[in-house]
Amino acid sequence: MLRIDRITLREIRLRLREPFRISSGVVDERRILLLELRDASGVTEWSECVAGELPNYSPETVDTAWLAIREWLAPRILGKGIGVPPEGVHDILDRHVSGHYMAKAALEMGCWGIAARLRQTSLAKLLGGERERVATGISIGIQRDPDELAQRAVAAHAEGYRKIKVKIQPGADVEFVRAVRQALPKGTDVSADANSAYVFADAPHLALLDEFGLTMIEQPLHRDDLVRHAALQRQLKTPICLDESITDMQRTEDMVALGSGRIVNIKPGRVGGLGMSRRIHDFCAKNGIPVWCGGMLESGVGRAYNVALASLPNFLLPGDLSPSARYWERDIVEPAWTMDAAGMVTVPRDALGIGVQVDRARVDELTVRREDLRAPGQA
Ligand code: OSB
Ligand code: MG
């Protein structure tokens, strides 16, 4: 059993080394919501809420997540006995609270981190992860022109990344992808992510991407549009991968039933946590759908949860699990996340909990707001 008696919410600001542009917006300084959970035994662990600054990728933001956690979600687990492993947390948080997946996930994942520490094991082992190292790809934001993008893709490939994903949008797609494909060695794993920038009428245009042999095109259409994704998939040779659309089990089942895509990007923050990530993973494995772990420009805390998850067996494609130095001058964890020359990240299987230590002094320095939530009657 675990029993969370205090949750400290903090917002920190962390500047990206360079702005990251996707079809729906750009971010240069991350507002990161961190949670520090304390078990009644005194054990503590950190988790991260992946909500963004603006409701462009998802309806949630840092501010809505803070509100949801404080008002509706944290009170459901504070002071309550929770089984280990904490598979039941998802349903406790989900009952009669719709949406707010990222807020739920931050709490749910924190419970997994605490549970691992209580069991004196690593998060990766507690989850049932098997890999000792996981393959990583890079997600490159939209650039000024095709040459600039191609240069970045070449540099990333030289660093060892095993998948090059480029963000696309109308006006920055076919010629950009062509430049990347031409600049990289034949056979390099290249994919494109549209973050819902297209509509179904763009199908003939998107079919122009087929000639580049992409591993996938990620989320071309609106998050709610599984029906048109299925129609689009029938017109494309390139496999569609769904990201924003996959928020729970039903959506994953519907994707498979309708044929809305052939690959799934799992982000634990987007689906309400690690328990649901694992259920989606298992369902996809049974249905022959490869999955990979997406990223949300997390700090080293959020990355730890992603890396542990990506060590499960059906994570068959490289994840967006770039090392700390890709994002930050300096991460908030020790050790910082690194990638070897073969594009592999080591899973901290033999460490306790999430496997990295938070640099508390630095987090204190970066904190712009803080709130302690406690179980009723708790000091
Ligand atoms: O669609 O995968 C996405 C970042 C923010 C919002 C959405 C996405 C992304 C990324 C970044 O692609 C992946 C990473 O963390 O490196
Ligand atoms: Mg995506």
Side-chain angles (χ1 to χ4, degrees):
M1 281 280 250
L2 62 88
R3 189 181 302 270
I4 306 298
D5 67 5
R6 189 187 67 194
I7 300 169
T8 304
L9 306 183
R10 296 167 182 258
E11 178 183 338
I12 64 165
R13 302 278 165 96
L14 206 54
R15 184 161 293 283
L16 288 163
R17 287 177 68 171
E18 59 179 35
F20 187 76
R21 180 178 298 280
I22 67 174
S23 59
S24 58
V26 60
V27 51
D28 58 358
E29 187 184 51
R30 292 274 359 257
R31 294 175 60 189
I32 297 174
L33 172 47
L34 293 175
L35 278 61
E36 187 182 10
L37 299 89
R38 186 180 70 186
D39 182 69
S41 64
V43 164
T44 66
E45 188 54 284
W46 296 76
S47 70
E48 175 169 345
C49 178
V50 301
E53 295 71 28
L54 296 169
N56 57 334
Y57 168 85
S58 132
E60 295 184 78
T61 69
V62 173
D63 299 296
T64 70
W66 191 297
L67 176 83
I69 291 171
R70 183 223 289 140
E71 296 294 323
W72 309 305
L73 300 173
R76 292 178 171 216
I77 58 172
L78 277 167
K80 310 270 165 62
I82 290 170
V84 173
E87 324 238 33
V89 175
H90 177 273
D91 289 357
I92 295 172
L93 296 175
D94 206 49
R95 190 175 149 78
H96 303 163
V97 176
S98 43
H100 300 287
Y101 297 98
M102 293 174 177
K104 291 169 181 170
L107 290 166
E108 197 259 7
M109 293 198 277
C111 289
W112 278 91
I114 290 271
R117 282 195 179 268
L118 290 177
R119 282 262 175 103
Q120 312 250 358
T121 188
S122 62
L123 175 64
K125 283 187 182 162
L126 185 67
L127 271 174
E130 294 174 0
R131 293 170 212 280
E132 307 207 331
R133 301 184 310 153
V134 292
T136 186
I138 190 170
S139 170
I140 306 178
I142 293 169
Q143 304 295 319
R144 202 176 328 117
D145 56 55
D147 279 352
E148 178 77 35
L149 181 63
Q151 274 177 34
R152 294 196 179 240
V154 167
H157 183 259
E159 272 186 77
Y161 283 105
R162 299 174 84 100
K163 179 184 73 179
I164 308 292
K165 154 172 145 181
V166 301
K167 295 290 187 177
I168 57 168
Q169 66 183 9
D173 47 29
V174 178
E175 294 317 313
F176 285 63
V177 172
R178 185 189 310 280
V180 167
R181 182 46 102 201
Q182 283 174 354
L184 291 171
K186 217 169 140 70
T188 306
D189 184 340
V190 177
S191 65
D193 186 356
N195 290 111
S196 304
Y198 297 90
V199 294
F200 180 66
D202 295 320
H205 181 74
L206 291 170
L208 299 174
L209 293 171
D210 279 342
E211 70 165 292
F212 305 119
L214 300 179
T215 304
M216 68 190 97
I217 174 168
E218 194 177 335
Q219 199 68 40
L221 308 180
H222 193 270
R223 57 192 290 117
D224 295 331
D225 210 346
L226 290 176
V227 169
R228 285 173 196 78
H229 272 112
L232 179 62
Q233 181 66 91
R234 288 193 287 274
Q235 296 190 27
L236 299 182
K237 286 205 211 82
T238 308
I240 290 176
C241 167
L242 295 181
D243 172 353
E244 284 91 324
S245 293
I246 302 297
T247 50
D248 54 27
M249 210 49 230
Q250 285 85 340
R251 308 274 292 170
T252 315
E253 288 167 4
D254 291 355
M255 168 190 135
V256 172
L258 292 166
S260 314
R262 300 186 192 139
I263 299 174
V264 168
N265 166 333
I266 299 182
K267 294 178 180 173
R270 196 194 59 230
V271 303
L274 292 169
M276 184 55 69
S277 296
R278 211 163 57 169
R279 287 179 54 196
I280 292 173
H281 163 275
D282 294 351
F283 174 82
C284 287
K286 277 200 198 84
N287 286 274
I289 304 278
V291 307
W292 57 282
C293 183
M296 289 293 290
L297 309 176
E298 292 92 344
S299 78
V301 172
R303 196 82 1 181
Y305 288 89
N306 293 350
V307 167
L309 179 66
S311 70
L312 293 175
N314 191 41
F315 281 82
L316 293 174
L317 300 165
D320 284 346
L321 302 165
S322 296
S324 301
R326 143 102 178 112
Y327 309 98
W328 326 107
E329 285 302 335
R330 206 172 129 206
D331 205 333
I332 58 167
V333 299
E334 302 264 335
W337 292 97
T338 55
M339 175 182 85
D340 68 18
M344 304 298 283
V345 173
T346 298
V347 181
R349 286 177 62 81
D350 297 322
L352 282 187
I354 67 172
V356 286
Q357 301 295 325
V358 171
D359 179 345
R360 185 183 292 277
R362 177 151 156 74
V363 165
D364 278 341
E365 243 168 63
L366 298 169
T367 297
V368 297
R369 106 173 122 138
R370 175 186 164 141
E371 188 171 343
D372 286 331
L373 309 174
R374 289 189 163 79
Q378 184 76 40

